């Protein structure tokens, strides 16, 4: 007997942006229900966002994002494709992979970190804007719960992030974990004492720069990287400035 026969499926909230076809939300619900059918854990909420980029020059104009509340644990996937149907199909596959990763972490009892899922080909294409057009349009500020290295990797995987900013539970230092495309490992940079390493996790030995937000913008533009981790010279805390998919910047800072 499957999950949907024993427990009612949660409502799947679908929002759209742009010229999304009328059939797409129902197709997304059908695909998400197929994901839920395989789960034994209670699913408390499901949110899906479908976006159709109006720029026909973009190679992957259809994006789909889903977040599940899996018994109190958020699990997220974010994908892009040439068509909305392809994006929703890819979203289903990616979400299944994220859930499997969450279960793998639990099963190994935090003994080691496995290799991240290879490739970033599912990511939306970032819009290219001239430097004078770019603005910091989103400022996220979080009151971080201190985390172990393993827990930070767990959140990176569960939420399908490119990077995850956290405060290390052992060292008390602001740190960031991300995927190292060169080695296939997870990689950590710390604005202070480096954490102890674990199998599959490398630790950067490069000094974290102390910058203003304006200085971080200049460094990000020159580096060509998707984000820059820096110590904010005004607050003394670790911040991340990153390229958003709409071509502008976002910045993440600790709240305290």
């Amino acid at each position: 007997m499957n999950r949907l026969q024993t427990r009612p499926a949660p409502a799947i909230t679908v929002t759209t942006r742009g010229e999304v076809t009328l059939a797409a939300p129902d197709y997304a619900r059908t695909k998400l229900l197929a994901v839920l059918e395989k789960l034994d854990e209670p699913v408390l909420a499901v949110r899906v966002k479908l976006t159709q980029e109006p720029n026909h020059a973009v190679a992957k104009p259809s994006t789909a994002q889903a977040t599940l509340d899996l018994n109190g644990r958020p699990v997220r996937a974010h994908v892009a494709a040439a068509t909305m149907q392809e994006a929703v199909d890819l979203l289903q596959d990616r979400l299944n992979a994220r859930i499997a990763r969450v279960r793998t972490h639990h099963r190994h009892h935090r003994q080691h970190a496995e290799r991240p899922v290879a490739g970033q080909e599912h990511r939306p294409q970032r819009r290219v804007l001239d430097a004078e057009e770019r603005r910091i349009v989103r400022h996220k500020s979080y009151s971080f719960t201190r985390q172990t290295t393993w827990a930070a990797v767990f959140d990176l995987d569960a939420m399908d992030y490119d990077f995850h900013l956290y405060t290390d539970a052992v060292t008390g230092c602001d740190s960031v974990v991300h995927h190292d495309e060169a080695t296939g490992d997870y990689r950590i940079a710390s604005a202070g004492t480096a954490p102890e390493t674990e199998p599959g996790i490398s630790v950067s030995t490069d000094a974290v720069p102390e910058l203003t937000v304006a200085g971080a913008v200049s460094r990000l533009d020159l580096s060509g990287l998707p984000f820059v981790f820096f110590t904010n010279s005004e607050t003394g805390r670790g911040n991340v400035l990153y390229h958003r998919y709409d071509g502008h910047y976002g910045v993440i800072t600790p709240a305290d």
Side-chain angles (χ1 to χ4, degrees):
M1 185 175 292
N2 63 35
R3 177 188 177 276
L4 291 183
Q5 291 173 320
T6 59
R7 184 168 55 244
I12 300 175
T13 302
V14 181
T15 59
T16 63
R17 181 179 178 185
E19 296 184 359
V20 177
T21 65
L22 295 177
D26 284 341
Y27 186 69
R29 289 187 183 94
T30 298
K31 289 295 185 177
L32 266 292
L33 282 172
V35 174
L36 302 184
E37 285 178 342
K38 301 176 182 179
L39 302 179
D40 296 322
E41 303 92 330
V43 178
L44 307 182
V46 183
R47 299 189 307 276
V48 180
K49 182 179 180 181
L50 307 178
T51 303
Q52 187 64 43
E53 169 63 52
N55 185 354
H56 297 293
V58 176
K60 298 179 180 180
S62 303
T63 63
Q65 180 177 312
T67 305
L68 269 63
D69 186 333
L70 192 61
N71 199 24
R73 157 61 62 180
V75 180
R76 173 181 174 272
H78 188 195
V79 302
T83 67
M84 187 57 71
Q85 180 173 336
E86 183 183 350
V88 172
D89 290 343
L90 185 58
L91 180 69
Q92 179 187 19
D93 293 341
R94 188 71 184 178
L95 199 54
N96 281 327
R98 294 299 88 202
I99 293 168
R101 294 292 290 176
V102 168
R103 288 172 168 169
T104 297
H105 279 298
H106 280 308
R107 186 163 61 247
H108 287 183
H109 302 293
R110 308 188 182 188
Q111 291 177 359
H112 67 278
E114 293 192 347
R115 294 271 176 162
V117 176
Q120 298 294 306
E121 65 278 357
H122 68 285
R123 293 298 191 197
Q125 180 181 352
R126 192 171 72 228
R127 183 181 299 174
V128 178
L129 296 179
D130 292 334
E132 60 270 16
E133 295 182 86
R134 299 176 201 151
R135 302 287 184 271
I136 296 177
V137 299
R138 189 169 189 181
H139 186 167
K140 299 180 183 178
S141 185
Y142 296 123
S143 180
F144 296 120
T145 300
R146 294 194 175 200
Q147 292 185 297
T148 62
T149 297
W150 188 95
V153 168
F154 181 84
D155 277 349
L156 179 76
D157 266 353
M159 298 303 289
D160 202 14
Y161 288 151
D162 292 322
F163 60 85
H164 174 55
L165 180 65
Y166 69 103
T167 301
D168 189 271
V170 177
T171 67
C173 298
D174 296 324
S175 304
V176 66
V177 59
H178 62 98
H179 301 295
D180 189 329
E181 295 182 3
T183 65
D185 289 341
Y186 299 99
R187 188 167 181 82
I188 289 176
S190 181
T193 304
E196 293 185 6
T197 59
E198 296 188 37
I201 301 177
S202 61
V203 177
S204 174
T205 57
D206 296 335
V208 175
E210 183 174 336
L211 302 166
T212 62
V213 173
V217 168
S218 297
R219 190 181 185 95
L220 183 65
D221 289 341
L222 290 173
S223 70
L225 297 172
F227 71 91
V228 61
F229 175 51
F230 65 103
T231 299
N232 190 313
S233 59
E234 297 178 356
T235 66
R237 298 298 303 272
N239 291 187
V240 173
L241 181 84
Y242 63 98
H243 283 297
R244 289 165 46 90
Y245 292 121
D246 63 6
H248 292 290
Y249 306 110
V251 62
I252 301 177
T253 64
D256 51 6

